[in-house]
Amino acid sequence: MSTSNPHFSGYGLGLRKEHYCDFLETSVPVDFVEVISENFMVAGGQPRHILRQVRERYPVALHGVSMSIGTAEGLDTDYLRRLKSLVDEIEPLFVSDHLSWSRSGGFNAHDLLPVPYTDEALDRVCANIHQAQDVLGRTMLFENPSSYLAFEGACMTEWEFITAMARRTGCELLLDVNNVFVSASNHGFDALAFLDGIPAERVRQVHLAGHSQGRDILIDSHDSPVCTGVWELYARAMQRLGPVATMIERDDEIPPLAELLQELSMARTLGAAL
Amino acid sequence: MNLAQLQQAFRRWLVNASDESAQLLGSNHVGLAVYQNNYRAQLVGCLEQAFPNLRRWLGEQAFLAASITHIDNHPPHAWTLDAYPEGFHATLKDVFPQNPDVHELAWIESALNEAFVAADAQPLALEALAELDWDTAVLQLTPSLRCHDLTTNAEAIWSALWQETCAPEAVMLEQAGGLLVWRRQFTSRLRQVDALELQAVQQVQADGSFAGLCEFLVQRLGEDAGVMQAGEYLAAWLGSELIVGVRDV
Ligand SMILES: [Fe+2]
């Protein structure tokens, strides 16, 4: 990898069970792997053991889905404590989660629910990010989720919200290009305006994934290859951001590793053209 | 509507799909339906993954119906989905009150899931026993160990389902016994034991004292047989890595 960007961490893949053997027994040509943090926030057993072995061979990014950074009532301290213990052990390349919420009044939806882009929500998100970064003792990355619903009463766009969030908390960004594509289509905004609107210098990582066509709406399903429209948007994003660590997320219909590496080589080609 | 109220309305939408909550959220029915579907599909998938053999035993339709009853009555609370299957047990008792085989199969699969990610423990080196004063020795069982009463042939049913062979019909055991689930290194274990061994394990789990175990067995079997049985259990539990620590107090 040749780059002038000191933050560039190369090209990676999400580590999924189906490929554990490939990653542990062969030398997979990736610069890092990303795992879902919660799968490893357990007391012991094989998952933690495998992660330790993987970590000996590859840099690891910890990607969370349950921090619920947009929750109105503050973060779950037990959750933060366990994540901190995992972070201390793994010394990850990145620690990320989503700009979304899942917890409310003791209920947990286990989904990435949308945040209203209001001043009140921005205050809450920023306070929660401060709390998380203080406990973890490091900067986190937050990802733009796909959304299927926009709330009345929003006083800013998603990218304005993200920009203010990054400025106020010092957090960094995980740009999911597929999620921009899906949300832009679902809500009728201009994906390029999103790319132009976010602070480029804060983007540390990019996700690419496949989506599917639901009834009247695009669904972020992570069960198919990255589509042409998303590759085009990625190329535009790279022109604007410069080289940024990029990986492919596949969570369903998981193909042989060689197929994902083939997809990843497309990202390398687009990155090398910069 | 402030953020907390919006999130409460969203919660009500996911759990009850009420028209009133949909209205509060702006009546975007297409978008709301996606979140509603994601929420329910995720929980159905979580239960399916946690109880694959119970699902085969009940049949897909009956399992799905019980899952839906559970999801309707018990929204998830914990930050981890791993905690969600635990509560399914209570729903199964309501839905299948006359089927202890179902309850015991569910217990087996829950316990195996818990043991899979329980805290690690190193097997005990035999040198640790050499200098031990057995009158005061305290045994430490592996943190992955789970014990339960057994009244049916659920162990045989589970084993057949797991091996994908023809499962026997459910029957009550002539004598109630017990089940032990634990993990040796990275391999989960399930063992059916008789009532005496179950009680002996529970005795050690409660206070750890080897002298206490001997006393319990002597009361049940008489002096010589009791002491001999304690020695046999000790050897077997060490061999199967149920005992992972021992100390004098
Ligand atoms: Fe993503």
Side-chain angles (χ1 to χ4, degrees):
Chain A
M1 46 168 146
S2 74
T3 167
S4 56
N5 180 348
H7 297 296
F8 180 54
S9 312
Y11 297 90
L13 286 177
L15 178 70
R16 302 294 175 257
K17 276 195 200 89
E18 290 78 354
H19 303 139
Y20 280 168
C21 284
D22 296 292
F23 279 95
L24 289 174
E25 288 164 16
T26 69
S27 176
V28 178
V30 292
D31 303 308
F32 66 95
V33 297
E34 185 186 84
V35 300
I36 302 300
S37 313
E38 288 80 4
N39 292 347
F40 301 92
M41 287 162 62
V42 291
Q46 201 172 32
R48 279 277 294 235
H49 176 68
I50 287 175
L51 184 59
R52 279 192 290 269
Q53 287 181 295
V54 167
R55 178 66 187 92
E56 283 171 21
R57 311 183 60 160
Y58 308 88
V60 169
L62 291 180
H63 185 49
V65 294
S66 299
M67 184 171 275
S68 192
I69 206 70
T71 209
E73 62 217 41
L75 301 181
D76 179 335
T77 50
D78 175 55
Y79 176 87
L80 283 180
R81 191 176 48 74
R82 285 171 185 262
L83 179 58
K84 161 87 171 145
S85 134
L86 185 65
V87 166
D88 288 348
E89 182 178 333
I90 298 301
E91 298 181 341
L93 180 62
F94 305 121
V95 182
S96 61
D97 206 298
H98 300 80
L99 173 55
S100 62
W101 67 278
S102 54
R103 203 163 55 78
S104 164
F107 165 75
N108 201 314
H110 297 288
D111 194 8
L112 305 173
L113 302 177
V115 168
Y117 302 125
T118 62
D119 290 325
E120 186 208 358
L122 180 61
D123 288 344
R124 191 66 248 182
V125 164
C126 290
N128 288 345
I129 293 177
H130 280 304
Q131 186 189 357
Q133 294 188 146
D134 283 350
V135 170
L136 299 178
R138 60 182 290 158
T139 304
M140 285 187 67
L141 279 58
F142 285 92
E143 170 177 351
N144 56 299
S146 283
S147 70
Y148 312 109
L149 191 66
F151 296 108
E152 290 157 16
C155 63
M156 57 192 119
T157 61
E158 185 177 359
W159 54 94
E160 286 165 346
F161 190 97
I162 287 172
T163 301
M165 168 187 93
R167 184 173 42 76
R168 281 170 54 176
T169 65
C171 78
E172 296 174 327
L173 302 176
L174 196 173
L175 172 67
D176 189 311
V177 174
N178 176 59
N179 290 347
V180 174
F181 187 93
V182 167
S183 294
S185 162
N186 289 347
H187 304 307
F189 67 73
D190 177 7
L192 295 178
F194 186 108
L195 294 183
D196 283 338
I198 57 170
E201 71 286 357
R202 290 292 176 82
V203 180
R204 290 284 171 275
Q205 192 187 347
V206 166
H207 274 172
L208 293 166
H211 59 257
S212 50
Q213 175 70 55
R215 202 165 51 91
D216 308 324
I217 205 168
L218 294 184
I219 308 285
D220 177 35
S221 47
H222 294 192
D223 59 357
S224 56
V226 178
C227 73
T228 311
V230 170
W231 281 121
E232 285 168 6
L233 194 58
Y234 175 68
R236 298 293 289 266
M238 289 301 95
Q239 283 162 13
R240 163 140 162 74
L241 305 175
V244 176
T246 296
M247 56 155 276
I248 295 182
E249 283 187 301
R250 182 68 82 84
D251 295 305
D252 238 322
E253 307 289 327
I254 297 192
L257 187 62
E259 262 178 55
L260 294 176
L261 287 168
Q262 186 64 37
E263 265 198 293
L264 192 61
S265 69
M266 176 74 169
R268 288 181 197 271
T269 305
L270 290 169
L274 293 177
Chain B
M1 194 165 51
N2 66 23
L3 183 64
Q5 290 163 337
L6 178 142
Q7 292 180 342
Q8 281 152 19
F10 216 116
R11 168 198 182 145
R12 285 198 299 277
W13 165 252
L14 293 178
V15 175
N16 307 323
S18 71
D19 287 342
E20 176 232 335
S21 53
Q23 264 167 20
L24 281 171
L25 296 168
S27 298
N28 171 350
H29 290 288
V30 174
L32 284 170
V34 172
Y35 287 109
Q36 171 73 233
N37 182 59
N38 283 355
Y39 169 75
R40 299 184 79 86
Q42 163 116 291
L43 296 179
V44 166
C46 169
L47 294 175
E48 284 177 0
Q49 218 183 347
F51 301 102
N53 293 317
L54 177 65
R55 185 174 175 222
R56 254 171 252 163
W57 182 243
L58 288 174
E60 270 182 46
Q61 286 311 314
F63 184 86
L64 180 62
S67 299
I68 289 169
T69 302
H70 186 65
I71 292 163
D72 285 341
N73 295 323
H74 300 278
H77 296 289
W79 62 263
T80 170
L81 265 178
D82 284 358
Y84 194 62
E86 279 167 31
F88 195 37
H89 200 253
T91 296
L92 291 169
K93 283 202 163 154
D94 285 346
V95 177
F96 304 100
Q98 309 299 332
N99 290 73
D101 53 317
V102 170
H103 314 153
E104 289 173 356
L105 271 177
W107 183 85
I108 290 172
E109 299 212 280
S110 262
L112 287 168
N113 294 338
E114 287 173 25
F116 181 69
V117 290
D120 296 323
Q122 291 306 313
L124 189 65
L126 289 181
E127 299 87 77
L129 303 176
E131 303 279 294
L132 203 65
D133 177 351
W134 289 101
D135 288 339
T136 55
V138 170
L139 307 174
Q140 190 194 339
L141 299 176
T142 179
S144 63
L145 175 66
R146 308 286 187 269
C147 317
H148 197 262
D149 302 335
L150 181 69
T151 62
T152 72
N153 60 337
E155 193 273 345
I157 296 171
W158 185 86
S159 298
L161 292 167
W162 186 67
Q163 291 163 33
E164 297 185 12
T165 57
C166 191
E169 265 185 49
V171 290
M172 298 302 286
L173 296 177
E174 277 175 25
Q175 284 189 321
L179 288 168
L180 306 182
V181 164
W182 76 105
R183 198 180 77 228
R184 288 180 75 161
Q185 295 296 87
F186 300 121
T187 311
S188 297
R189 299 283 164 159
L190 166 67
R191 190 153 72 85
Q192 181 170 340
V193 294
D194 61 25
L196 184 68
E197 187 168 358
L198 175 70
Q199 287 164 10
V201 170
Q202 286 169 332
Q203 162 84 26
V204 174
Q205 224 177 9
D207 88 343
S209 152
F210 182 70
L213 173 67
C214 289
E215 201 179 308
F216 164 76
L217 290 169
V218 164
Q219 271 177 14
R220 298 292 298 270
L221 304 173
E223 183 74 35
D224 291 348
V227 171
M228 195 191 295
Q229 182 67 75
E232 281 174 20
Y233 282 157
L234 182 68
W237 298 344
L238 283 167
S240 54
E241 298 177 19
L242 273 175
I243 297 175
V244 294
V246 62
R247 60 192 163 87
D248 282 323
V249 276

